[in-house]
Amino acid sequence: MASVKFLCVCQMGIGSSVMLRINIEKVLKNLGIDGTVDSCTAGVAKGQAQQCDVIVTNQDVAPVVRDFGKPIIELKNMVGTKELTEKIQAYMKERGES
């Protein structure tokens, strides 16, 4: 299984994307997935998106990052891990690495 590079993007401050990064790291560990996670604001995401495999964000920011040419994991709940776990598993299955 290849390492996956995740990019967490939040709208304004870096706080929510850092919290999301921590949750993604927990989910990856629980699922046994090798991956790295970076976080940033929507304003700088375009430049950082070139180095990631998938963008993780909420429904409000998803339209901003859609044109970056990367798959998007779009979340309704940025604080829990249940939805995040399900969507990461679905993404890995799409990659053929379930």
Side-chain angles (χ1 to χ4, degrees):
M1 181 182 301
S3 181
V4 182
K5 296 178 184 178
F6 292 83
L7 179 63
C8 306
V9 180
C10 70
Q11 190 139 356
M12 298 290 225
I14 198 81
S16 59
S17 64
V18 170
M19 178 189 61
L20 181 57
R21 184 189 81 218
I22 291 167
N23 283 343
I24 291 172
E25 289 170 345
K26 288 178 188 176
V27 169
L28 295 179
K29 183 177 179 181
N30 289 340
L31 295 175
I33 296 171
D34 180 31
T36 59
V37 188
D38 289 316
S39 56
C40 68
T41 63
V44 297
K46 188 171 186 175
Q48 290 195 11
Q50 303 308 315
Q51 283 76 36
C52 77
D53 296 308
V54 59
I55 297 171
V56 184
T57 191
N58 66 23
Q59 295 174 322
D60 296 331
V61 179
V64 175
V65 298
R66 247 187 209 106
D67 295 335
F68 296 172
K70 299 291 180 171
I72 300 170
I73 294 176
E74 187 175 324
L75 301 171
K76 294 177 185 172
N77 179 357
M78 296 255 302
V79 295
T81 58
K82 182 178 187 282
E83 178 188 15
L84 183 59
T85 299
E86 292 168 357
K87 291 192 173 180
I88 287 176
Q89 286 175 315
Y91 170 74
M92 296 304 290
K93 187 174 182 178
E94 287 176 18
R95 279 178 57 111
E97 299 183 42
S98 52

